[in-house]
Amino acid sequence: MRAVAMVETLVVLDPLADLVRFEGVASAVAAATDAVDAVLRDRGLRRITDEQLSQALLAGATANATLSGNPDQWRVGALRLAAELTPLAALIRVAPGQALARAHGVVARGVVPDDELGMISSEAGAAARMNSLAELLTRDTSAPAIVVGAVAHAEIAVVAPFGEASGLIARAAEHLVLIAAGLDPYGVIVVEAGHAENGARYSAGLDGYAEGSMSGVKSWLLRCAAAVARGAELSPVARR
């Protein structure tokens, strides 16, 4: 009787949830969630005024443009993108490719040629990496939204599939995930401003993630959790 070789295949069912096991990540996420809850849920989800929403969107857009390194070029596009956060959030976990393409069309209009809007870079591997991200975003996961958003942010920023606009879209993508998950249902947690408070550390965090080491990824997740917590403190709702 011929022996049959058995090959054991490791199937990772929830790779995003595995990231929560990194030391310190779960507690950092919990602290950030508590900070958001203190602004929103612990206040009984009090009505957000139009003025507060406008202030939050303006602050987020300003921070997003500042982190681009060329705020004069991207300020208007960042404002347009901030105004579209809610409709784009409805797409980010069901049709992420469509959401990101629309985000590029909004933020880069007038900066890049019209026929390039919504188009992914032809750089080797960019499309494949974005397809992998889309699979992660549409897959069921037990990972908290802060972790999912952090990964989406870093993947887009590192791969840069939308050229110079990629960083702005990456930061928006993180916020879209938080809105879609109901963590920040109104879009008033200014996570972009949380990142912008220390641009050098923000860039270093992305560099660490790009290296692909466990410590680099963990450091990025912790940085994003801290940015959400700080974004809650900076929210105009927190000053109410």
Side-chain angles (χ1 to χ4, degrees):
M1 182 177 178
R2 186 172 61 184
V4 178
M6 301 296 291
V7 178
E8 183 177 352
T9 301
L10 177 62
V11 178
V12 180
L13 298 178
D14 195 352
L16 290 175
D18 289 342
L19 300 178
V20 186
R21 299 192 180 101
F22 288 168
E23 182 181 0
V25 170
S27 58
V29 167
T33 302
D34 287 345
V36 174
D37 286 348
V39 173
L40 300 180
R41 292 175 178 81
D42 288 353
R43 293 179 176 222
L45 280 173
R46 279 194 262 177
R47 180 178 176 272
I48 307 299
T49 67
D50 290 341
E51 181 182 4
Q52 288 173 322
L53 178 57
S54 295
Q55 290 174 346
L57 295 178
L58 176 59
T62 300
N64 201 0
T66 298
L67 283 170
S68 74
N70 192 346
D72 289 339
Q73 175 174 276
W74 293 107
R75 186 173 291 110
V76 173
L79 286 168
R80 288 197 301 257
L81 183 56
E84 293 294 321
L85 286 179
T86 298
L88 290 174
L91 290 173
I92 193 64
R93 297 303 301 272
V94 294
Q98 183 179 349
L100 298 179
R102 287 190 183 182
H104 186 231
V106 169
V107 76
R109 188 169 73 244
V111 178
V112 305
D114 287 351
D115 60 357
E116 295 180 12
L117 295 176
M119 302 297 292
I120 288 180
S121 167
S122 59
E123 290 289 328
R129 190 90 170 252
M130 288 300 97
N131 286 337
S132 295
L133 174 61
E135 290 178 6
L136 284 177
L137 289 174
T138 55
R139 177 184 297 179
D140 288 337
T141 180
S142 63
I146 290 173
V147 169
V148 179
V151 171
H153 182 160
E155 284 293 306
I156 298 165
V158 167
V159 176
F162 298 104
E164 291 183 43
S166 296
L168 291 103
I169 295 169
R171 291 181 287 275
E174 177 182 12
H175 205 166
L176 294 179
V177 170
L178 302 181
I179 295 171
L183 182 67
D184 178 23
Y186 301 110
V188 294
I189 302 302
V190 197
V191 61
E192 301 89 346
H195 284 299
E197 281 205 328
N198 192 320
R201 292 183 62 190
Y202 169 77
S203 297
L206 283 173
D207 289 342
Y209 180 94
E211 292 173 359
S213 66
M214 182 180 296
S215 61
V217 174
K218 181 182 77 171
S219 177
W220 174 249
L221 296 176
L222 294 174
R223 191 172 305 282
C224 286
V228 172
R230 183 58 177 149
E233 295 173 356
L234 294 171
S235 171
V237 180
R239 300 191 293 270
R240 184 174 177 179

